[in-house]
Amino acid sequence: MELELLTPEIMAQGDTVEALFKPITSISKLLTDLGDLPDYFALSEPKLCEENPEQILEELAVAVKMSQRVHLNLVRKHPLPILRVNSGDLRKVLERVMEFSQALVGDAGNLEIETGHKNIAGQEYIELKIATSSIDSLEVEEKEIFQPFLRVNGRQIGLGMALAQEILRRHQGLISFRKENSKRGQVTVLIRVQSVHKEPGTSKTLVK
């Protein structure tokens, strides 16, 4: 893992705001990674709660639009059910996947999130497809994305995708990345749906 400090060489890079704050961002990312370690090794006690994937995706989409000059499109093929998972796990997975996708598109590009369902050998899954299109080449290979402390297009991803993969594995889910060409890629997330029923007296769909 690389940690960039505020050196005279960095100060000499035109004293831009980005150059000056890069070391601070690097240290902040390191602290975030250290905070992720208990989740990666499943050290904390599980605590089940209801998570709304559509709401989390909408919140993350708004944050992306505010932070980058990225054209983002959210396509809902099917409504997503409420999930009963370990508290915070779903948000952690989606945040790390979005962070990786943002790094792929850089400061400008296109990001499309498609939500739906998929049946694999009789088992139902929630399926999320995050397609990225960048003006620059993708500086990452498919086999590298789950390496801890990954760096993508100059950005530190840290434990990001490795953490997402580990959490999904505990929930019998899957995550993959396909590099379609030098500038386009797609992350696919599958979250297993174990049982679905309607809550009595409401229209809410529950997944346990």
Side-chain angles (χ1 to χ4, degrees), residues 93-107:
V93 167
L94 297 181
E95 283 178 344
R96 300 319 185 272
V97 170
M98 288 298 292
E99 180 184 34
F100 173 73
S101 301
Q102 285 179 262
L104 290 179
V105 300
D107 293 327

Side-chain angles (χ1 to χ4, degrees), residues 6-199:
L6 191 58
T7 63
E9 290 76 14
I10 290 180
M11 291 289 291
Q13 295 176 9
D15 291 339
T16 63
V17 173
E18 182 180 0
L20 292 174
F21 280 92
K22 201 171 186 181
I24 298 174
T25 303
S26 182
I27 293 172
S28 175
K29 183 60 185 171
L30 174 62
L31 294 175
T32 300
D33 289 338
L34 291 175
D36 284 340
L37 288 176
D39 293 315
Y40 183 79
F41 291 107
L43 300 178
S44 56
E45 189 71 22
K47 182 181 179 182
L48 294 179
C49 70
E50 292 182 2
E51 298 273 15
N52 187 333
E54 287 193 354
Q55 180 181 336
I56 295 173
L57 282 172
E58 288 174 0
E59 292 172 358
L60 294 177
V62 170
V64 169
K65 290 178 180 179
M66 292 178 62
S67 65
Q68 287 180 271
R69 298 189 302 274
V70 173
H71 179 265
L72 188 147
N73 188 28
L74 183 56
V75 180
R76 299 175 181 83
K77 290 180 63 178
H78 304 285
L80 300 182
I82 301 297
L83 297 179
R84 187 167 175 79
V85 295
N86 189 33
S87 178
D89 274 3
L90 183 60
R91 181 175 290 273
K92 288 187 181 78
V93 167
L94 297 181
E95 283 178 344
R96 300 319 185 272
V97 170
M98 288 298 292
E99 180 184 34
F100 173 73
S101 301
Q102 285 179 262
L104 290 179
V105 300
D107 293 327
N110 295 312
L111 196 59
E112 181 172 286
I113 306 171
E114 180 182 290
T115 69
H117 299 163
K118 188 168 187 176
N119 186 292
I120 302 176
Q123 175 61 57
E124 290 294 323
Y125 290 84
I126 286 177
E127 182 178 49
L128 307 176
K129 295 180 180 179
I130 301 95
T132 63
S133 178
S134 172
I135 60 175
D136 301 313
S137 296
L138 303 181
E139 297 177 2
V140 64
E141 297 301 326
E142 295 176 356
K143 61 182 180 181
E144 299 174 344
I145 70 162
F146 298 117
Q147 294 177 0
F149 309 113
L150 177 68
R151 192 177 182 88
V152 177
N153 293 345
R155 297 192 184 194
Q156 276 285 0
I157 304 301
L159 284 175
M161 293 294 277
L163 176 65
Q165 183 186 47
E166 187 60 30
I167 291 176
L168 283 170
R169 182 181 291 131
R170 294 200 291 267
H171 288 287
Q172 298 177 300
L174 300 168
I175 184 170
S176 62
F177 171 66
R178 184 177 77 253
K179 192 172 180 180
E180 297 180 348
N181 56 46
S182 63
K183 296 184 178 182
R184 291 179 59 85
Q186 178 175 290
V187 179
T188 301
V189 176
L190 295 172
I191 305 171
R192 186 178 180 182
V193 178
Q194 296 185 351
S195 65
V196 181
H197 67 277
K198 293 290 184 179
E199 189 177 62

